[in-house]
Amino acid sequence: MDRRNFLIKTIGIGAAATLGNTNESVATPINVLSEDRMGVLVDTTVCVGCRNCEWACRNSHNIPTPPLEDYKNRSVFKEFRRPKEYSYTVVNEFSNPQNPLLPIDVKFQCMHCDKPACVSACIVGSIDKLPNGSVVWNSEKCIGCRYCMVACPFQIPAFEYLTPIEPSIRKCDFCIERTKEGKLPACVEICPVEALIYGKRSEIIKIARDKIKRNPQRYIKHIYGEYEVSGTSWIYISSREFDKIGFPKLSNKHAPGVSEAIQHGIFAYFVPPVLFYSMLGTLMWINKRKKELDVEEESNES
Amino acid sequence: MNHNINPVPLSGLYKVRPFFTPGVIILTLIALNGLVFVALRFIFGIGYVTNLSNEYPWGIWIGIDVATGVALAAGGFTTAALGHIMHREEYHSIVRPALLTAMLGYTFVALGVVIDIGRWYYVWHPLIYWNPNSALFEVGICVMIYLTVLYIEFLPIVTERFMGRVNFPKFLKFLNKPVEWLLEKLDKGLSKTMFIFIIAGVVLSTLHQSSLGTLMIIAGEKMHPLWQTPVLPLLFFLSAVSVGFPMVIFESVIASKSFGLKPEEKILKKLGNMVAPILLIYLAFKIGDMFIRETFHYLFELNIHSIMFLIEVIVGVIVPLFMFLSRKAIKSLTITFWASVLVIFGIVINRFNNFIVAYHPPYSFKPYIPSIGEISVTIGFVALLILLYRAFVMFFPIISVQPKNNAQIITANNYEVLNEK
């Protein structure tokens, strides 16, 4: 199967995953990992740093943007940039020790974790992991506490600090509005060199492994996001160690694990708090009685 | 009856002194300065006043106003547990001041949350939108309920103040009888059901004091290993318990000084006597945790983390522990007082370390340093809290005075005479 066909086929699967699962939400409820969740494989050895994805992202999310031509300016690569409120994705450039003429360009955005820390942390549950893999923030419930930002291991959610009323948490939403309609995410669609491959996560991992196997000189043996924080929907392959091209070094355990275990331990069906309450009540009653008994005894003696 | 317990409104003592002493005027100015920045935050947004960023989403408003505020208000539940649940009547005289601190403290914690969250008008959302996986959800719900419980626990002081003294002016006079009746019913109902709220207060405090520690666990690798540990909830709970009595001692001594009363030396020293064992347990867990996670080597890297950690543990735990253990603490209240000050300092530094110093985002362009606005608000809130505390103890029967020890002090009966004139 060539790549073009694969892409076309996977759009169909992606749309089915989104639509099908929203229809039967009982079978695959929100925040339960679906087998059919989608993902993107980013091949950093293919990316040329044209930054068209940055433009397409802004454009499709109705964020004001300079014209596409302006994105040809490569001087932005002088500084390391991060996704923020009004740019959900950015491309950074890193030097390539093997071939200085071919720098490594790395697109970065929300990784759409399989076990997202932000979803676990959110005080009101306003971030969801959808069946198609997207981690999406909803406006209605959000109180703007920014705990998702504290929790995110990739430091992705951004906040509108200068908006006094109704500030939002802003981050890549995996183009949920587009994928619902069966379209590709904007960045994947515009990428002129096919550095981004959209497909079922299980499929793109196979492709990534295959690529590495067939071209062992070109790639290091590490698929970033396959196991990091127990898996992300966006996965990366590269010619250079990932901590050298702007990725945080993370363990394979998912971020919410420990804190959720503690939370559920303390609150196991409310048994510990209720037990504690009754224990204190008993203690209080005994102590009060003891005092009364003492008083009684004293008055009897005298 | 124990003669120690004789709480009276202190305003009767102030026939000779005005409410606005120089200290009060300075505090008022500091509070007003803070309120100006609060207003700016609401008009122009959080970013206008603070140095918070996408890298550092939480600053001193969460680290100090909220997290430290909750810890320092722990005196409320520790004294409630001692006075009411263990039923140690000799401590009843400190229950009310501690309750007032807790009530005001938690009120300001809630205010701190309101100014820090982006959509402050949705602060009640956790009541209807639940996420039981979230440690913050648990803290939020517990603090909301506990604040209500504190207000209920405070109600008997209000009814006591007004019962038999309801006296509306002229045209509202017809309200006198119904209000009096209402107060009486309220007082009766409360005294019968108060035990429910007292126990609830202790349970809720235990829960959220520890969950406050769970908060930063999800930050994972972002937190420096000296502080990031799965036993954080336990450490937070133990440290909160350990700061409860020192806070009561600190306030009691300061309030006595400020109002020209004699501090209740014996009770305060007895309270101090209980601090050392708790501190020791806290220290044992803190050091034990370091051994298990083998984080000792971080102490030998001379940087802000190791220095702050050492200050927190040595100045804030070990030194006061020895002070409380020393025999001098039996003789002198001064030692007990200064040891308490150090424990409080240690907890403030600990919470500051956990929420600010330890937090290291993977991508940081410049370090977080609190802005003038943030500091102004934090200090302003503290000033406002002290002013309110002063107003409350002058107006409500909270602080107990010992009539025979000090000739100047006007007893409860005298006070009523003064008030009626």
Side-chain angles (χ1 to χ4, degrees):
Chain A
M1 177 168 32
D2 69 319
R3 202 182 276 155
R4 183 63 59 189
N5 273 342
F6 174 81
L7 270 180
I8 290 162
K9 204 180 140 202
T10 49
I11 298 171
I13 298 171
T18 329
L19 294 173
N21 287 322
T22 39
N23 288 344
E24 353 161 358
S25 55
V26 183
T28 37
I30 272 174
N31 298 333
V32 171
L33 273 186
S34 155
E35 283 295 310
D36 293 331
R37 64 189 182 277
M38 308 302 284
V40 171
L41 168 63
V42 184
D43 189 336
T44 59
T45 63
V46 173
C47 180
V48 292
C50 69
R51 291 170 61 221
N52 284 4
C53 51
E54 291 186 18
W55 175 84
C57 178
R58 284 214 177 104
N59 202 33
S60 71
H61 288 96
N62 301 319
I63 300 167
T65 164
L68 185 55
E69 292 79 61
D70 289 13
Y71 285 82
K72 292 203 176 95
N73 175 11
R74 293 184 82 90
S75 67
V76 291
F77 288 140
K78 276 183 202 141
E79 57 176 318
F80 179 74
R81 298 176 305 146
R82 292 282 307 154
K84 44 187 182 196
E85 302 92 288
Y86 305 113
S87 44
Y88 298 159
T89 185
V90 292
V91 180
N92 283 306
E93 195 163 84
F94 299 89
S95 65
N96 186 350
Q98 287 158 5
N99 185 351
L101 294 173
L102 272 179
I104 305 168
D105 294 298
V106 184
K107 175 190 185 296
F108 208 71
Q109 71 299 305
C110 172
M111 300 287 283
H112 299 276
C113 306
D114 283 348
K115 300 266 170 62
C118 55
V119 171
S120 166
C122 180
I123 180 168
V124 286
S126 85
I127 308 176
D128 290 313
K129 173 82 176 169
L130 300 182
N132 81 331
S134 328
V135 175
V136 179
W137 172 83
N138 306 297
S139 186
E140 320 88 75
K141 299 179 186 173
C142 180
I143 66 169
C145 70
R146 310 188 294 286
Y147 190 32
C148 50
M149 300 167 71
V150 172
C152 178
F154 298 101
Q155 202 185 316
I156 284 298
F159 181 72
E160 296 178 307
Y161 282 101
L162 289 170
T163 312
I165 298 289
E166 213 77 349
S168 297
I169 294 290
R170 300 179 62 102
K171 69 169 201 69
C172 162
D173 59 359
F174 212 168
C175 279
I176 184 71
E177 295 304 325
R178 290 172 58 91
T179 52
K180 255 189 217 162
E181 294 166 5
K183 291 188 205 155
L184 281 169
C187 52
V188 177
E189 191 184 65
I190 202 166
C191 182
V193 291
E194 287 173 14
L196 310 173
I197 301 171
Y198 180 73
K200 259 168 70 169
R201 187 176 184 270
S202 48
E203 300 280 343
I204 57 168
I205 284 179
K206 278 185 205 147
I207 296 176
R209 284 193 191 134
D210 196 47
K211 276 188 166 202
I212 295 173
K213 203 169 145 194
R214 273 195 286 176
N215 238 327
Q217 302 91 342
R218 186 181 176 121
Y219 300 104
I220 55 158
K221 276 204 181 106
H222 182 178
I223 304 173
Y224 193 93
E226 185 182 8
Y227 298 116
E228 271 79 8
V229 290
S230 82
T232 57
S233 277
W234 281 64
I235 57 170
Y236 288 75
I237 47 177
S238 162
S239 59
R240 210 177 158 195
E241 290 302 326
F242 285 99
D243 53 337
K244 298 282 189 309
I245 56 169
F247 287 87
K249 235 186 170 135
L250 296 169
S251 80
N252 292 346
K253 284 184 218 135
H254 58 90
V258 183
S259 89
E260 281 188 15
I262 294 170
Q263 275 309 99
H264 297 302
I266 296 176
F267 277 95
Y269 303 101
F270 274 94
V271 173
V274 171
L275 269 182
F276 187 43
Y277 190 101
S278 8
M279 202 186 81
L280 289 178
T282 317
L283 205 61
M284 192 171 177
W285 187 82
I286 292 173
N287 282 320
K288 196 159 177 262
R289 270 298 175 94
K290 217 163 82 190
K291 256 293 148 31
E292 280 166 17
L293 284 172
D294 287 348
V295 173
E296 190 79 2
E297 217 163 84
E298 267 173 38
S299 60
N300 283 349
E301 275 169 19
S302 61
Chain B
M1 266 317 287
N2 195 327
H3 285 285
N4 270 336
I5 306 149
N6 185 23
V8 292
L10 295 180
S11 63
L13 304 172
Y14 270 75
K15 289 283 157 185
V16 282
R17 263 203 261 174
F19 180 81
F20 284 99
T21 60
V24 171
I25 290 168
I26 292 170
L27 284 177
T28 313
L29 290 177
I30 295 174
L32 285 176
N33 174 53
L35 290 179
V36 169
F37 283 100
V38 170
L40 290 175
R41 174 255 172 272
F42 282 116
I43 298 167
F44 298 110
I46 297 172
Y48 187 81
V49 179
T50 67
N51 277 347
L52 298 177
S53 59
N54 290 333
E55 291 97 58
Y56 294 92
W58 282 0
I60 58 168
W61 287 354
I62 293 292
I64 295 184
D65 291 43
V66 176
T68 313
V70 167
L72 295 188
F77 89 95
T78 50
T79 51
L82 180 69
H84 293 302
I85 291 179
M86 305 311 288
H87 211 78
R88 302 280 292 274
E89 272 175 356
E90 67 267 37
Y91 294 110
H92 277 193
S93 67
I94 49 138
V95 171
R96 278 190 177 186
L99 172 64
L100 176 64
T101 319
M103 186 185 82
L104 291 176
Y106 274 90
T107 306
F108 277 86
V109 164
L111 286 176
V113 170
V114 166
I115 60 159
D116 188 79
I117 63 174
R119 301 171 171 191
W120 47 274
Y121 38 87
Y122 288 152
V123 68
W124 50 275
H125 265 185
L127 288 176
I128 54 166
Y129 300 119
W130 292 13
N131 178 13
N133 287 338
S134 166
L136 189 62
F137 170 73
E138 201 245 295
V139 173
I141 289 285
C142 275
V143 168
M144 277 194 237
I145 304 175
Y146 185 48
L147 189 56
T148 315
V149 166
L150 284 170
Y151 288 149
I152 294 172
E153 283 185 43
F154 194 78
L155 267 182
I157 303 176
V158 180
T159 56
E160 183 185 321
R161 171 69 177 81
F162 289 109
M163 260 199 325
R165 288 184 206 142
V166 180
N167 193 6
F168 284 103
K170 289 164 202 166
F171 57 95
L172 285 173
K173 240 181 183 150
F174 68 94
L175 280 175
N176 281 355
K177 276 228 166 104
V179 171
E180 192 75 52
W181 177 85
L182 204 75
L183 283 176
E184 219 160 277
K185 283 278 160 216
L186 194 62
D187 192 57
K188 239 188 197 155
L190 282 172
S191 68
K192 273 197 189 128
T193 51
M194 193 45 75
F195 74 97
I196 298 174
F197 299 109
I198 288 169
I199 307 170
V202 177
V203 174
L204 287 165
S205 295
T206 309
L207 289 175
H208 74 252
Q209 290 285 4
S210 47
S211 286
L212 214 53
T214 322
L215 272 192
M216 295 311 277
I217 285 182
I218 204 166
E221 276 104 336
K222 284 178 174 182
M223 247 179 106
H224 194 274
L226 276 175
W227 288 279
Q228 179 63 289
T229 155
V231 296
L232 260 184
L234 184 65
L235 293 179
F236 264 56
F237 175 69
L238 288 173
S239 56
V241 174
S242 76
V243 81
F245 295 148
M247 198 61 194
V248 174
I249 296 167
F250 174 74
E251 275 163 43
S252 207
V253 170
I254 297 284
S256 307
K257 232 187 187 123
S258 156
F259 288 103
L261 304 172
K262 201 165 183 296
E264 303 197 52
E265 272 202 33
K266 203 175 157 201
I267 290 169
L268 296 184
K269 278 190 209 155
K270 267 173 134 181
L271 271 187
N273 209 18
M274 282 180 268
V275 180
I278 311 169
L279 270 183
L280 199 63
I281 297 170
Y282 171 51
L283 187 67
F285 271 99
K286 190 127 179 141
I287 307 260
D289 169 63
M290 288 186 80
F291 268 112
I292 291 167
R293 290 184 307 112
E294 292 168 6
T295 51
F296 264 107
H297 65 274
Y298 292 104
L299 287 181
F300 303 111
E301 298 168 4
L302 202 67
N303 55 23
I304 179 92
H305 303 107
S306 56
I307 292 170
M308 289 302 277
F309 188 88
L310 287 175
I311 292 177
E312 173 197 327
V313 174
I314 295 174
V315 184
V317 184
I318 296 174
V319 172
L321 177 65
F322 279 107
M323 285 167 83
F324 275 123
L325 285 174
S326 78
R327 296 207 63 80
K328 276 183 200 152
I330 298 172
K331 283 196 191 115
S332 120
L333 185 62
T334 321
I335 297 283
T336 306
F337 173 76
W338 285 108
S340 301
V341 170
L342 286 182
V343 174
I344 295 166
F345 171 80
I347 297 303
V348 174
I349 297 294
N350 171 263
R351 296 306 193 257
F352 183 76
N353 283 347
N354 268 297
F355 282 86
I356 316 266
V357 176
Y359 190 77
H360 274 270
Y363 313 98
S364 161
F365 298 97
K366 58 173 189 188
Y368 163 76
I369 294 160
S371 69
I372 304 278
E374 285 174 271
I375 297 170
S376 295
V377 172
T378 297
I379 301 178
F381 273 9
V382 174
L384 206 55
L385 196 148
I386 298 171
L387 288 174
L388 279 175
Y389 186 94
R390 188 179 166 88
F392 266 83
V393 297
M394 287 177 83
F395 193 71
F396 288 106
I398 287 160
I399 292 185
S400 300
V401 291
Q402 298 155 293
K404 50 183 167 179
N405 290 344
N406 196 326
Q408 296 165 316
I409 281 168
I410 301 146
T411 62
N413 293 335
N414 289 347
Y415 163 74
E416 278 176 28
V417 173
L418 278 172
N419 204 33
E420 269 159 24
K421 273 176 191 169

